[in-house]
Amino acid sequence: MLDKQILKDQQGMPMGVFIPIQSWNNLIFQYPDIETLEADLPQWEKDFIDKRLDMAQRYPERLKPVEMLFETL
C-alpha cells in the first residue's frame, strides 16, 4: 500500500507528493528502473522513432490496428 501525502501550496494547489521510505523502497523493488525513467533516450533510439514516424506519415495505408496482429498471432 502506498501511503502518499499530497503537498499543496497556499492556494490549495497540488505541488508535490510525500511517499514514506518503505513505500518508496517497495516501488524500487517492483520497478528497478524507476529512478532512470526520465533519462534521455540514446540517439539511435530517437533516430529509429523518427524514422518510424516518418514512414507512418508517408504511408498511412500500411498502418493496421494492433488487434489485427493479435488475431494473426
Side-chain angles (χ1 to χ4, degrees):
M1 175 180 224
L2 188 65
D3 300 319
K4 67 181 180 334
Q5 293 178 1
I6 298 175
L7 307 174
K8 298 181 180 182
D9 64 13
Q10 292 176 342
Q11 288 76 36
M13 299 298 297
M15 59 178 252
V17 178
F18 171 80
I19 302 172
I21 194 66
Q22 185 58 46
S23 296
W24 178 250
N25 288 337
N26 289 338
L27 280 173
I28 291 173
F29 180 76
Q30 291 177 357
Y31 305 97
D33 297 331
I34 196 168
E35 294 185 281
T36 60
L37 289 178
E38 291 189 23
D40 279 343
L41 292 174
Q43 189 58 48
W44 70 267
E45 284 187 79
K46 292 177 184 179
D47 294 342
F48 178 79
I49 293 169
D50 288 342
K51 182 178 178 182
R52 299 296 294 177
L53 289 172
D54 180 56
M55 294 295 286
Q57 286 179 337
R58 290 182 15 195
Y59 305 104
E61 70 279 0
R62 297 172 95 185
L63 297 175
K64 306 222 183 320
V66 70
E67 291 80 13
M68 289 180 70
L69 170 65
F70 294 142
E71 288 173 12
T72 303
L73 296 175

